Amino acid sequence: NAGVTQTPKFRVLKTGQSMTLLCAQDMNHEYMYWYRQDPGMGLRLIHYSVGEGTTAKGEVPDGYNVSRLKKQNFLLGLESAAPSQTSVYFCASRHQQGLAGGQETQYFGPGTRLLVL
Amino acid sequence: RKEVEQDPGPFNVPEGATVAFNCTYSNSASQSFFWYRQDCRKEPKLLMSVYSSGNEDGRFTAQLNRASQYISLLIRDSKLSDSATYLCVVTSSTSGTYKYIFGTGTRLKVLA
């Protein structure tokens, strides 16, 4: 199993350009997440999905859109990139329910480093 | 007040030392607790879940204190390879949706 994979690994954009980050998981997980990580700040949730065809806003959704057309894929789009979106983006996934009813841990992809000039 | 707070460190310790980190959380209804490890420029990876009764995995021991709303991580006999940032993660439920809240991390450097 590859686990959670992300493409691309690194990208440089100019202000105003658009791009899509792809996240794929082969663990049949129901839940998928997009986070951004900035220096001095914890991981912040951008959007998430609880199943195929569903998406919901997280803590910092402005400037981003997402789609979950297939269970294994979760796409994050930037329609018009801004320098404030320079960050490291992590995708994560998990099963709906953990053992003994507890919350299942999240598994992370390797990240995408985005620089917006 | 942040929902999850950690001392950013760095904690510089010699090999073989014992080191402990604390993490405080503000929501008394928080349900699940985890410690993740993140190496420089890498993704976070689960180190261990934290159970109410406390749990141990080799050199690592995690404790939960619900009354005081903190979790702790103890590392015994530190190795150079333990150098990393340790993230505290707390979950809570809002309208049936579970949120995973990440601390900013505590940086550990184990020195030879």
Side-chain angles (χ1 to χ4, degrees):
Chain A
N1 287 352
V4 182
T5 58
Q6 293 183 233
T7 52
K9 288 186 169 52
F10 180 70
R11 184 76 183 268
V12 178
L13 289 179
K14 294 181 180 178
T15 297
Q17 286 185 316
S18 63
M19 77 164 294
T20 300
L21 283 68
L22 171 63
C23 175
Q25 52 93 5
D26 61 2
M27 297 176 281
N28 202 33
H29 286 170
E30 295 84 5
Y31 285 52
M32 296 187 75
Y33 305 81
W34 275 108
Y35 294 92
R36 61 178 289 173
Q37 186 175 38
D38 301 291
M41 307 186 78
L43 285 153
R44 291 184 293 168
L45 182 64
I46 304 171
H47 286 280
Y48 66 99
S49 168
V50 301
E52 182 178 322
T54 71
T55 62
K57 293 180 180 180
E59 181 186 355
V60 288
D62 294 342
Y64 305 95
N65 57 74
V66 288
S67 64
R68 183 114 181 255
L69 299 179
K70 293 182 179 181
K71 186 176 184 179
Q72 63 269 33
N73 296 337
F74 195 27
L75 279 63
L76 177 71
L78 285 73
E79 291 184 348
S80 179
S84 60
Q85 294 177 304
T86 293
S87 188
V88 180
Y89 292 86
F90 287 105
C91 175
S93 70
R94 70 173 178 93
H95 278 303
Q96 181 176 5
Q97 191 76 18
L99 296 174
Q103 290 309 298
E104 181 63 45
T105 185
Q106 296 187 354
Y107 295 86
F108 284 83
T112 295
R113 296 183 179 278
L114 176 65
L115 174 62
V116 183
L117 302 174
Chain B
R1 180 186 174 188
K2 289 183 180 178
E3 291 185 83
V4 175
E5 293 201 70
Q6 295 182 252
D7 182 339
F11 284 59
N12 296 322
V13 303
E15 268 188 297
T18 295
V19 62
F21 311 134
N22 278 348
C23 166
T24 59
Y25 59 95
S26 60
N27 185 350
S28 60
S30 295
Q31 296 170 306
S32 298
F33 308 87
F34 306 92
W35 282 103
Y36 275 71
R37 170 193 170 128
Q38 186 173 25
D39 293 293
C40 188
R41 302 176 74 83
K42 298 286 189 180
E43 72 272 25
K45 291 184 178 178
L46 178 70
L47 178 66
M48 57 198 304
S49 301
V50 187
Y51 302 120
S52 297
S53 55
N55 47 300
E56 188 174 305
D57 183 1
R59 298 182 292 109
F60 299 85
T61 300
Q63 297 279 354
L64 168 63
N65 186 318
R66 284 193 182 271
S68 300
Q69 294 182 208
Y70 74 85
I71 65 172
S72 64
L73 177 68
L74 181 78
I75 305 175
R76 291 181 298 278
D77 188 22
S78 299
K79 312 290 184 192
L80 293 175
S81 58
D82 293 334
S83 297
T85 297
Y86 291 83
L87 306 177
C88 166
V89 184
V90 173
T91 70
S92 61
S93 175
T94 303
S95 302
T97 301
Y98 288 98
K99 294 197 311 178
Y100 287 71
I101 304 160
F102 289 78
T104 54
T106 297
R107 194 167 165 208
L108 171 66
K109 291 183 180 178
V110 181
L111 308 172

